[in-house]
Amino acid sequence: RDRMLSAQFLIDLVRAVPWGQLPTPPAMDRPPPVEAKDDSDSAKKGPDDEEFDPTSPEHKRPRFQRRNSGLTAMSFEDISREPRFAVGQRVVYTPSMGDPQLATVRFVGDVGSGKRACGLEFDGTSILHHDGAHPATGVKHFGCALGHGLYISVDSARLHDASTPPSEQVQGSQEQLLHGLEQMSEDKSLRLSRLQRLAENQLRTDHGSDEGEQEFRKCWDAQQGCYTYFERGHPVARGRPTLPRSSSISSIEGGPEAEIAEDGWPRFASLSGGKVSGQEAEALFRHLASDWKNPLPCSILLAVVQAARSLILQESTVLRLTTPSDGKLVVIGDTHGHLKDVVHIWKEEGLPSPKTTYLFNGDICDRGDSEKRGGQQAVHIWACVLAFKIAYPDNVYINRGNHEDSSYWTHYGAAGFSREIETKYSRKEADQLVDAFDGLVNSLPLMSLVDNICVVLHGGLPRHHQPWLRVRIEEIERMRRPLPMPTTMDTRSEQTLYDLMWADPMERQGMGLNDRGGDIRSFGPDVTQGFLDAWGLRLLIRSHEVPGRQPSFRGRGFEWWHPVVEGEEPKPISQAQKGYCLTVFSASEYCGCAANAGSYVVFGGIRGGFQIVEYTAVEAERSLMAEAKSDLSVQAAARQQPEARRFAEDRSLSQGLLDRGVIDAIVEHKHKLLAEFMAVDRQHDWFLKPENWTACCHRVLPLIPWESYIGKTSIVPMKDGHVCYTLFLTRFQIQFRNKLGQHSGFRRKLTDQMFEGLLRADYSLRETLQAVDLNGDGCVSAEEFASALVRFGKFLTPEQAKTLYRTTIMPEGGSIRVEDFLAGLSVRFALSHPKLTTGETDFVPAQLDAICRDILDLSGVSSAKESIAVTLRRFFEEADNQRKDGYLEPEELIAALKPLRSCSSLSEEQLKAIVEYIDFNGDRRINYVELLNAFCVRHAEGGSQTGSEVGQGPKALVEDMLEAVHRVLHFEYAEPLRSLLRRLTPPGCTRCTLAKFEKGLSVLNASAGNGLLTTRQIQCLVETLDLDTQSGELEGHFDFEQYFGSLRIVDTMAGEDTDERADGGGGDDDDESLE
């Protein structure tokens, strides 16, 4: 409220004004652009000023558009395209909420106020549709049955191809969910890949230069005709001419010493020397395309990768390419493991050759197609591309993409490139291949210049775009490779590399933050024009994202950004150029869920200039099936299935995969969702209206279309039209489901550590209660409880404490009595830690039972009305009648016990033995927690506690605490720690020592900044891991792959095993007793 407005707000405000409805001032030939400064004259001028003309070509640009805002963007149709629909055409329309629908165009034209719209008649009916009368004007531009008509903008639908199955046309309802899950996955993968690299750097520093523990890859250098040795796990390090003393070789990649298996595969006569002929590369491609279900032998793939890497390292970081004078140059966008798209493009444009040059613009790795179209085949694509690279080094080029990053692969789970390798090769072969590809992708060029008129890069332009700071092409060219992805954004070069891989175009001017999150940037039309103009270029081609952020390009394989304005620099290459920035995406029907086409760009050839070639997923599938030699009858039968049945099956499979991603998101963010639900649930009855439930979910996970899950009871349980959010949160849980008994005592160890911390603290009664009950009202709120749990012994992090909702938040009032909580912990600890007795003290445990009953009888209060913890507190306070210091001296406790009926016949020595037994710490004084530990367990074993008191507390507490730790291990640390342990173990080995496991986990936890696990939790985890007991090399080791594979999300309502059974069978008897 400082009465100041930002320049950007004023600019947005000016662009939002409906200038077309205002009097038009005289147009200027060349009006000055709007300056983005508060004190500039142009920022203060309005429609009546002589220098400002919003109707001139200078200002006819896309208006500012922010996602989910009320402002809309001027489409490319408004600038340079004719209406795309004609009356009578069939189209597919996808409403913002609901499934795609087929309709027929009945009207295209002006509906008033200069607005153009399409009138559609739908095959089905809806209460939101009309009979052709425009809802705003009442004018009936076409006629149809009531409930079948709707007016839409010309950009809101796409043409329906009658020859294409519905599965290719009507999948728009899944696209929003796919985009949201993908964006969440990218954000998480970025964060975890940085964490992994920080931990790797720390481990490398800690290990120092002890070469005796190092392993090296033996890689053939075809140019030098000798082997070079590269440190394993350090792909950016320079090779060594000799193997360091006492070091070992992890793999042999290429060269005469490699055993290249070729049984059943094309013979490579000179591959051992790093050579592949054009005929051999074509034979390899034909073989992989026809038999894509079988992996290429590891030895061949290793040799191809190493030979190609040697060639790529000789190239410049910025490639300068020229279209063959009698041929063409083809730019291919993201393929993401879609083999069918590469097969189709090579079928249409020809295989790489001296007359046909190919430039792959990154993102070959990760994800994959639907299973019926090949599934994950990034390995096959790499093999084919690299084989042709070796055969025709001047006709195959590869730009690096953001997915060409080994740390990033790791955190993509089942869709990651490293996981694809692991499913196709043995453990040892997979480790060798991951190392080889790691070295390859860090060596790829970052940018290409085509014919000195077009720049091709994967993501976007650098953030340093001002004329005095602009990144020069020569600056990028000087970046030395191999080049790792940066872990920080501290330097100019790190920021530049990051932007080249990750940035996206936007319609707004300048540089801005990106919806992908993190430090990712978006660049506007002025940045694109400035970069092109500064270096004499005319077009920017990039990839990196599925087209469709602008409505007019939904479902397409390309997307124009930053439209060309007549008379401005730089000039377009040809009439085909509609903008200065072009997104090209070559993975049609992305991940088998989206409904986008694929495309590529061809320079030169008989077309001349450049041309965008677009194709459908069905066309690409037919190209793949034409090459396939297996299962042709099955594929033919599948194509002959009824269209509706094929669509239903494909859609159901895709939706099932997406639902799995939603469930993962629910479990990962459970604690945040609960906080939102509790804030809205004023009735404290665990039910919310669907609209309130949806709003809460959107605040935590805004990228998921939660409205579409209302009514899907398999995920969202409902009763009487309301969502039961406690069942929604507790149905899916992370559980440790190992059947071999490993890690069986973690639950007990973790809980014991917690309560033992309370016992060892030796607080007085007042200190104990005040430490938990901060406001002194006798009850503990969730916030007080979480704060106390963090302070007691540091056994929980603040984030974990918040997840203990089933114990800390009760239906009545949202709080729990501190005595009940401490009593519950006492039961848990005493059951697992019975104090040992000698012959003279064997009578004590049984005597404590009688004493406990006498205390209850003496109080005159039924335990059904008052918990034993409160009764014991009153007994403690009455006994502390001398010193009143919150502790019971032995004499005080003996004096309090003597009047009890069960102690009347006991000798002084027996009473002293009872007191010594209760004194857990052995410090010759009794605190309140020690008293609870001695007596509450007797009461619990008698079964007299109420369900809302002792019996519920400890069990729920343990489960919440376990899930908090499991969540960190499963979602945050599993993949980074697996990668770290692979660096510390030989290739193919999945076992390590406890010391290495603890070292890797501790370094990872420290690298996370605010560690997600406490030191005591890590110690508990390590101490409870079961080791190999058989003598031999692996004695004292454990299988870390098996351990992480046992952390799974299970549906607790589907009859799955409980956590007790999965956590080690019968090795945790105390848990079963508590149950």
Side-chain angles (χ1 to χ4, degrees):
R1 297 178 181 270
D2 58 358
R3 303 191 181 187
M4 301 291 290
L5 298 177
S6 67
Q8 190 58 56
F9 174 84
L10 293 175
I11 293 174
D12 296 345
L13 183 63
V14 169
R15 289 175 177 158
V17 172
W19 298 109
Q21 301 177 21
L22 301 177
T24 304
M28 300 292 293
D29 292 335
R30 188 72 174 178
V34 177
E35 296 291 333
K37 295 182 180 179
D38 283 332
D39 56 353
S40 66
D41 294 335
S42 58
K44 303 174 184 178
K45 295 186 182 296
D48 295 329
D49 291 282
E50 193 173 78
E51 298 176 18
F52 188 89
D53 179 15
T55 64
S56 68
E58 175 68 21
H59 294 279
K60 200 169 179 76
R61 296 176 180 230
R63 296 176 184 167
F64 169 62
Q65 180 186 27
R66 180 178 286 138
R67 294 183 184 179
N68 300 324
S69 69
L71 302 179
T72 57
M74 185 182 298
S75 67
F76 277 83
E77 276 87 349
D78 297 331
I79 298 175
S80 59
R81 292 184 61 174
E82 295 297 324
R84 57 185 298 186
F85 300 133
V87 174
Q89 287 183 323
R90 296 282 285 171
V91 297
V92 177
Y93 171 72
T94 304
S96 59
M97 291 300 302
D99 294 332
Q101 305 169 30
L102 289 175
T104 303
V105 179
R106 297 302 185 195
F107 169 81
V108 179
D110 192 343
V111 293
S113 303
K115 297 181 179 178
R116 296 181 62 82
C118 286
L120 303 182
E121 179 181 1
F122 289 87
D123 296 349
T125 184
S126 171
I127 59 174
L128 301 178
H129 297 167
H130 47 69
D131 61 352
H134 195 278
T137 64
V139 178
K140 198 169 186 177
H141 297 282
F142 70 96
C144 67
L146 182 63
H148 290 261
L150 182 68
Y151 288 96
I152 65 170
S153 68
V154 294
D155 303 330
S156 301
R158 65 186 190 284
L159 288 174
H160 169 66
D161 183 0
S163 64
T164 302
S167 58
E168 311 304 327
Q169 294 287 330
V170 192
Q171 292 186 353
S173 63
Q174 299 174 345
E175 290 182 13
Q176 184 183 0
L177 179 56
L178 173 64
H179 173 76
L181 293 175
E182 179 188 55
Q183 191 166 325
M184 291 166 56
S185 179
E186 285 187 342
D187 181 56
K188 178 182 175 181
S189 297
L190 270 174
R191 173 170 49 83
L192 294 185
S193 61
R194 290 178 182 173
L195 173 62
Q196 178 185 326
R197 285 192 288 265
L198 287 173
E200 287 176 350
N201 293 338
Q202 185 61 47
L203 274 180
R204 195 172 294 116
T205 301
D206 293 345
H207 276 282
S209 57
D210 184 5
E211 296 179 349
E213 296 184 4
Q214 295 177 345
E215 291 185 310
F216 284 80
R217 299 160 48 216
K218 190 174 183 179
C219 303
W220 178 252
D221 188 337
Q223 303 300 318
Q224 301 295 327
C226 62
Y227 280 105
T228 304
Y229 300 88
F230 291 88
E231 181 184 348
R232 181 172 179 255
H234 195 11
V236 298
R238 297 291 172 180
R240 304 188 182 197
T242 59
L243 181 68
R245 182 183 300 177
S246 301
S247 298
S248 58
I249 297 175
S250 63
S251 60
I252 301 176
E253 302 170 21
E257 295 184 24
E259 298 180 2
I260 300 178
E262 300 178 353
D263 294 341
W265 291 87
R267 181 170 180 79
F268 295 89
S270 54
L271 182 57
S272 60
K275 303 294 183 182
V276 174
S277 66
Q279 293 80 6
E280 291 171 339
E282 181 177 355
L284 177 64
F285 164 67
R286 300 294 182 193
H287 194 112
L288 291 176
S290 64
D291 195 15
W292 41 266
K293 292 187 176 181
N294 294 318
L296 184 67
C298 177
S299 57
I300 296 179
L301 191 54
L302 281 173
V304 169
V305 171
Q306 176 52 35
R309 180 179 181 272
S310 298
L311 291 172
I312 290 171
L313 276 175
Q314 298 176 45
E315 299 172 343
S316 172
T317 303
V318 177
L319 299 170
R320 300 177 185 273
L321 310 180
T322 303
T323 302
S325 57
D326 56 346
K328 55 191 173 185
L329 187 149
V330 182
V331 179
I332 298 179
D334 294 16
T335 56
H336 278 303
H338 287 224
L339 180 63
K340 73 178 191 307
D341 294 271
V342 177
V343 172
H344 176 73
I345 295 172
W346 280 356
K347 175 186 175 184
E348 294 296 315
E349 302 297 334
L351 296 174
S353 67
K355 293 186 177 182
T356 305
T357 298
Y358 280 93
L359 171 59
F360 287 81
N361 199 25
D363 276 12
I364 296 175
C365 299
D366 291 339
R367 306 211 173 96
D369 209 338
S370 61
E371 287 300 323
K372 70 172 185 177
R373 291 170 174 163
Q376 289 180 294
Q377 296 297 345
V379 173
H380 280 9
I381 296 175
W382 273 115
C384 295
V385 173
L386 296 179
F388 277 108
K389 175 65 180 177
I390 302 170
Y392 303 107
D394 297 329
N395 298 97
V396 175
Y397 298 94
I398 310 165
N399 281 342
R400 187 176 186 176
N402 63 300
H403 283 262
E404 273 68 63
D405 176 6
S406 62
S407 296
Y408 198 70
W409 302 335
T410 305
H411 310 295
Y412 243 78
F417 182 55
S418 58
R419 192 64 61 86
E420 177 189 345
I421 294 175
E422 292 169 8
T423 59
K424 296 180 177 180
Y425 296 91
S426 68
R427 176 77 267 167
K428 182 176 182 179
E429 291 175 337
D431 286 348
Q432 293 174 343
L433 288 171
V434 169
D435 289 340
F437 276 106
D438 193 8
L440 172 72
V441 298
N442 283 289
S443 306
L444 294 174
L446 306 179
M447 176 190 294
S448 299
L449 302 179
V450 178
D451 296 333
N452 290 322
I453 60 172
C454 175
V455 57
V456 183
L457 48 84
H458 179 74
L461 296 175
R463 65 191 66 189
H464 303 288
H465 64 96
Q466 300 86 345
W468 60 91
L469 290 175
R470 182 176 290 125
V471 175
R472 301 176 61 86
I473 293 179
E474 293 79 6
E475 186 178 342
I476 301 174
E477 203 165 16
R478 286 196 297 269
M479 292 184 179
R480 296 184 61 185
R481 295 168 294 137
L483 193 62
M485 285 292 185
T487 57
T488 62
M489 299 292 110
D490 297 336
T491 67
R492 178 181 171 97
S493 60
E494 289 174 339
Q495 294 168 351
T496 299
L497 172 60
Y498 197 70
D499 293 336
L500 293 175
M501 299 296 104
W502 280 97
D504 291 311
M506 65 179 182
E507 294 174 317
R508 180 162 51 91
Q509 302 283 332
M511 274 281 177
L513 293 177
N514 195 300
D515 287 346
R516 295 176 187 263
D519 198 39
I520 303 175
R521 301 303 173 94
S522 297
F523 58 98
D526 57 327
V527 178
T528 302
Q529 289 180 247
F531 185 88
L532 296 177
D533 193 41
W535 313 121
L537 303 169
R538 297 158 145 196
L539 175 63
L540 163 64
I541 296 180
R542 42 95 62 182
S543 300
H544 190 43
E545 62 178 340
V546 180
R549 276 198 288 135
Q550 299 173 105
S552 56
F553 291 98
R554 286 177 185 160
R556 309 297 296 271
F558 67 94
E559 186 168 14
W560 281 111
W561 289 90
H562 307 160
V564 172
V565 179
E566 185 178 353
E568 287 194 2
E569 294 292 336
K571 295 181 179 179
I573 297 174
S574 67
Q575 294 275 335
Q577 183 174 339
K578 305 300 182 184
Y580 292 113
C581 177
L582 174 64
T583 296
V584 177
F585 199 79
S586 301
S588 60
E589 199 175 282
Y590 180 50
C591 294
C593 299
N596 65 290
S599 72
Y600 55 93
V601 178
V602 181
F603 284 89
I606 59 174
R607 303 177 179 89
F610 78 91
Q611 183 167 345
I612 304 170
V613 181
E614 198 173 19
Y615 59 90
T616 67
V618 173
E619 293 173 324
E621 180 185 9
R622 290 168 182 164
S623 297
L624 179 63
M625 292 302 111
E627 292 285 344
K629 70 178 182 180
S630 60
D631 294 335
L632 286 179
S633 59
V634 176
Q635 297 293 341
R639 287 195 295 270
Q640 293 174 3
Q641 286 183 353
E643 190 173 297
R645 179 180 174 185
R646 284 191 63 203
F647 167 63
E649 291 177 353
D650 294 343
R651 185 181 179 84
S652 176
L653 178 61
S654 299
Q655 188 63 46
L657 296 175
L658 296 176
D659 288 346
R660 191 180 307 168
V662 174
I663 292 171
D664 286 355
I666 293 171
V667 176
E668 183 176 2
H669 299 86
K670 183 181 295 186
H671 54 296
K672 298 179 182 178
L673 288 167
L674 178 85
E676 291 290 338
F677 295 150
M678 290 295 297
V680 176
D681 181 16
R682 302 185 184 278
Q683 303 298 323
H684 299 290
D685 61 355
W686 317 121
F687 285 89
L688 290 177
K689 294 180 180 180
E691 56 270 23
N692 293 337
W693 175 86
T694 301
C696 291
C697 292
H698 274 304
R699 284 193 287 272
V700 177
L701 297 166
L703 298 176
I704 296 177
W706 292 104
E707 296 86 352
S708 62
Y709 280 91
I710 294 293
K712 185 175 287 189
T713 56
S714 61
I715 295 179
V716 183
M718 299 188 69
K719 181 180 180 181
D720 299 330
H722 288 67
V723 178
C724 179
Y725 64 83
T726 53
L727 189 56
F728 166 72
L729 292 176
T730 58
R731 175 167 184 171
F732 299 98
Q733 299 178 8
I734 303 177
Q735 296 184 1
F736 191 85
R737 308 187 68 231
N738 192 307
K739 302 296 183 182
L740 302 180
Q742 288 188 340
H743 200 41
S744 60
F746 182 50
R747 169 189 286 102
R748 181 182 61 199
K749 189 76 174 179
L750 194 62
T751 312
D752 293 349
Q753 285 280 335
M754 182 171 60
F755 187 67
E756 189 174 354
L758 293 175
L759 287 174
R760 299 294 184 190
D762 194 25
Y763 289 142
S764 67
L765 173 62
R766 183 177 180 181
E767 290 171 334
T768 301
L769 300 180
Q770 285 182 344
V772 182
D773 182 14
L774 301 180
N775 59 10
D777 62 354
C779 294
V780 183
S781 67
E783 292 76 14
E784 290 175 323
F785 185 36
S787 176
L789 290 179
V790 174
R791 294 199 306 274
F792 280 141
K794 300 294 183 183
F795 51 79
L796 289 179
T797 67
E799 192 66 29
Q800 290 170 358
K802 295 177 183 178
T803 67
L804 304 185
Y805 59 88
R806 288 195 295 273
T807 301
T808 63
I809 302 174
M810 295 297 173
E812 300 84 6
S815 62
I816 182 175
R817 295 185 65 90
V818 63
E819 298 94 342
D820 294 340
F821 164 66
L822 295 175
L825 286 181
S826 300
V827 173
R828 179 62 180 80
F829 185 80
L831 285 173
S832 59
H833 282 75
K835 195 167 183 178
L836 297 179
T837 60
T838 62
E840 298 178 353
T841 59
D842 288 341
F843 75 97
V844 173
Q847 192 68 32
L848 288 176
D849 291 339
I851 294 174
C852 184
R853 287 191 294 269
D854 286 347
I855 292 175
L856 293 176
D857 294 339
L858 187 64
S859 68
V861 179
S862 171
S863 62
K865 297 180 181 179
E866 181 179 79
S867 69
I868 186 177
V870 177
T871 303
L872 287 173
R873 174 183 172 180
R874 188 183 304 109
F875 173 82
F876 188 97
E877 291 172 338
E878 293 175 355
D880 185 22
N881 56 9
Q882 296 181 9
R883 298 173 179 261
K884 297 187 182 299
D885 57 356
Y887 297 94
L888 293 182
E889 299 297 328
E891 297 79 12
E892 290 178 318
L893 182 55
I894 290 174
L897 293 176
K898 281 183 177 181
L900 299 179
R901 183 175 51 189
S902 57
C903 297
S904 59
S905 61
L906 296 180
S907 66
E908 193 74 16
E909 293 300 323
Q910 288 175 320
L911 289 175
K912 288 182 180 180
I914 293 175
V915 172
E916 290 177 1
Y917 185 91
I918 296 174
D919 183 13
F920 180 86
N921 290 332
D923 56 359
R924 295 189 56 76
R925 66 179 185 178
I926 312 300
N927 61 43
Y928 174 59
V929 178
E930 288 175 317
L931 193 71
L932 289 175
N933 184 51
F935 290 114
C936 276
V937 64
R938 310 301 153 195
H939 187 64
E941 288 175 340
S944 59
Q945 77 276 17
T946 63
S948 63
E949 295 173 353
V950 179
Q952 182 176 342
K955 179 63 179 177
L957 172 66
V958 175
E959 295 308 315
D960 285 338
M961 194 160 47
L962 277 174
E963 189 172 45
V965 176
H966 286 164
R967 181 181 64 82
V968 173
L969 292 173
H970 181 73
F971 289 110
E972 301 291 335
Y973 287 172
E975 294 300 337
L977 186 55
R978 288 173 74 232
S979 297
L980 291 179
L981 294 177
R982 287 175 188 170
R983 306 292 191 195
L984 299 174
T985 56
C989 182
T990 62
R991 282 178 164 80
C992 70
T993 62
L994 289 184
K996 287 186 177 180
F997 183 84
E998 184 174 9
K999 176 67 175 178
L1001 183 56
S1002 299
V1003 168
L1004 192 66
N1005 195 53
S1007 301
N1010 53 343
L1012 301 178
L1013 296 177
T1014 66
T1015 302
R1016 294 181 68 179
Q1017 286 175 348
I1018 294 176
Q1019 292 172 350
C1020 289
L1021 191 152
V1022 172
E1023 290 172 4
T1024 56
L1025 292 171
D1026 288 348
L1027 304 179
D1028 295 320
T1029 57
Q1030 297 179 354
S1031 60
E1033 246 182 76
L1034 296 179
E1035 183 179 2
H1037 291 61
F1038 86 105
D1039 193 328
F1040 60 86
E1041 288 287 354
Q1042 185 185 80
Y1043 171 75
F1044 287 118
S1046 298
L1047 288 169
R1048 302 176 187 175
I1049 296 177
V1050 299
D1051 185 351
T1052 58
M1053 295 182 64
E1056 299 282 354
D1057 292 340
T1058 63
D1059 193 33
E1060 282 80 6
R1061 190 175 303 170
D1063 206 24
D1068 218 2
D1069 294 336
D1070 55 301
D1071 287 332
E1072 295 176 3
S1073 300
L1074 186 61
E1075 180 84 9

